[in-house]
Amino acid sequence: MEMKLLTWLAEKTGAWVAQNPQGWKAALVFALARKLPHCKQVAPLMSQAMERPLSWRQWVQVKLHLVVCLMCVRYQKQLWLLREAALKIATSSEDASLPRLSPEARERLKRALDAQEH
Amino acid sequence: MTVPSQERGPETWVDLHGDYLFRYALLRLRDEAAAEEVVQETLLAGLQSYARFGGQSSERTWLVSILKHKITDHFRRRSKLAVFDSLDGLPSEPDDVFMHDGDWIDHFDAQRGPLDWGDNPALTLEQTEFRQALARCLSSLPERMAAAFTLRELEELSSEEICKVLQVSPTNLWVLLHRARAQLRLCIETRWFRQPH
């Protein structure tokens, strides 16, 4: 009966239980997690954690949620990857395949500089 | 430190650095006219303070540091025009990725929830096409969300500074950033990781 429940949970939530079939401990964690907020409430907290330290309560909520939710584990990794990617595009202005000044804009800028200079 | 030989003064700026500064501004402001405007402001400000430019850095680095200020000023002006602090009218997070039945197990929709981005998504970041796709996703965000994300992740300003520039409370900034990240994540996943390329 217990194994059947765990198998069902594993199917539903991904690899964690399958890798850690510690019986009642797993069941306890899941029972606890069930009392905690949903992904929808955890997602903003994962974003906030990138801005400031969470309160201990929020921190525990997120950590426990991540134990049982493969999707949120992914989500969190992807948020941090997005941060890394943003830094990459921030320094990509050398990339010649990106838009250039139009000839007209170039002329306007030169004229503006000239006018100021003389 | 000596001034590198290619530094030939203001007359050469448009030709040497114009495209670079324009791209830098365009990525952040997402509008060609606005980008041209801040580039012009930058060049004129550079001209005025050129006497004080001691050549400690390259001209380009120096011009970019001016441009960064002009970009922040642009966001400051915009936030005075539109009331950035109100979250009214702002699209909420793309919450159709969540299940509505409240069941704790399946609350991320299996079809629309986060996809596995593969074993080494960091490699993806090296691809020019990926970065272009991300820039397009950024340009599709609503203005306030894009401004918050740009200042935070591209310009790397602190939350406190951004709150001052955009005139938003910290709580609202967190909401803006959360929604921006959620929407960008979904956009890049839809346009990149679910597409064959």
Side-chain angles (χ1 to χ4, degrees):
Chain A
M1 175 60 204
E2 196 192 29
M3 269 321 288
K4 208 172 162 190
L5 177 70
L6 284 178
T7 314
W8 178 77
L9 283 173
E11 273 169 16
K12 284 287 188 185
T13 59
W16 189 86
V17 173
Q19 287 161 4
N20 305 274
Q22 299 121 319
W24 67 271
K25 282 186 199 161
L28 186 69
V29 168
F30 276 87
L32 212 58
R34 194 165 198 160
K35 302 278 178 215
L36 295 171
H38 295 177
C39 305
K40 207 171 167 171
Q41 281 101 55
V42 171
L45 291 180
M46 290 193 284
S47 171
Q48 267 180 49
M50 300 168 84
E51 305 309 313
R52 53 142 196 172
L54 297 177
S55 71
W56 69 269
R57 198 192 169 84
Q58 291 170 326
W59 187 84
V60 169
Q61 284 178 345
V62 172
K63 285 289 168 195
L64 268 176
H65 184 90
L66 290 179
V67 168
V68 295
C69 184
L70 181 67
M71 291 285 200
C72 280
V73 172
R74 269 185 201 167
Y75 185 89
Q76 191 184 39
K77 271 193 205 150
Q78 290 168 1
L79 285 193
W80 285 92
L81 195 80
L82 207 57
R83 169 165 281 181
E84 218 181 302
L87 278 179
K88 290 265 185 211
I89 61 169
T91 53
S92 64
S93 308
E94 291 283 4
D95 191 340
S97 65
L98 294 173
R100 309 165 66 95
L101 280 168
S102 66
E104 298 79 31
R106 196 175 291 273
E107 271 318 299
R108 281 195 294 273
L109 288 175
K110 283 185 177 174
R111 271 203 305 277
L113 264 180
D114 266 356
Q116 184 102 3
E117 216 169 350
H118 302 297
Chain B
M1 209 168 152
T2 53
V3 179
S5 57
Q6 75 267 24
E7 315 286 33
R8 278 166 302 192
E11 317 77 59
T12 62
W13 285 350
V14 174
D15 288 326
L16 288 181
H17 312 302
D19 286 334
Y20 185 93
L21 297 173
F22 178 67
R23 282 177 202 138
Y24 191 100
L26 185 60
L27 176 65
R28 286 151 180 84
L29 304 185
R30 313 179 305 159
D31 176 82
E32 294 202 2
E36 187 186 328
E37 195 183 306
V38 291
V39 169
Q40 179 168 330
E41 287 173 12
T42 301
L43 295 177
L44 296 181
L47 190 60
Q48 276 186 337
S49 54
Y50 191 53
R52 292 200 299 276
F53 168 62
Q56 301 93 335
S57 57
S58 72
E59 279 185 353
R60 177 174 288 185
T61 308
W62 176 68
L63 287 170
V64 168
S65 71
I66 299 175
L67 179 60
K68 287 166 94 74
H69 283 111
K70 297 297 176 194
I71 287 171
T72 311
D73 286 345
H74 171 91
F75 283 127
R76 198 174 280 124
R77 283 199 298 271
R78 293 291 302 165
S79 68
K80 278 182 185 140
L81 284 176
V83 187
F84 268 48
D85 198 38
S86 166
L87 298 175
D88 299 344
L90 195 71
S92 61
E93 61 210 298
D95 66 355
D96 50 340
V97 300
F98 298 107
M99 300 287 273
H100 296 286
D101 61 3
D103 185 358
W104 66 277
I105 287 175
D106 274 330
H107 36 201
F108 249 127
D109 186 327
Q111 295 304 309
R112 303 191 47 114
L115 190 77
D116 186 356
W117 284 6
D119 291 338
N120 199 349
L123 280 182
T124 309
L125 306 190
E126 302 304 325
Q127 297 183 37
T128 311
E129 296 81 10
F130 174 81
R131 295 202 293 264
Q132 287 168 346
L134 182 59
R136 275 198 299 280
C137 284
L138 182 59
S139 69
S140 69
L141 283 189
E143 185 178 7
R144 281 174 289 178
M145 281 156 56
F149 185 86
T150 299
L151 290 172
R152 184 71 187 92
E153 306 290 20
L154 276 71
E155 291 298 290
E156 295 185 274
L157 295 189
S158 69
S159 298
E160 294 76 31
E161 288 171 286
I162 300 170
C163 286
K164 275 186 214 146
V165 173
L166 299 184
Q167 298 185 310
V168 296
S169 65
T171 314
N172 280 358
L173 177 64
W174 294 332
V175 174
L176 284 173
L177 285 172
H178 158 59
R179 292 185 188 174
R181 286 174 180 138
Q183 199 160 318
L184 275 178
R185 195 209 65 78
L186 186 63
C187 176
I188 199 67
E189 181 169 290
T190 312
R191 294 206 192 166
W192 183 266
F193 290 99
R194 285 187 198 273
Q195 300 290 327
H197 41 252

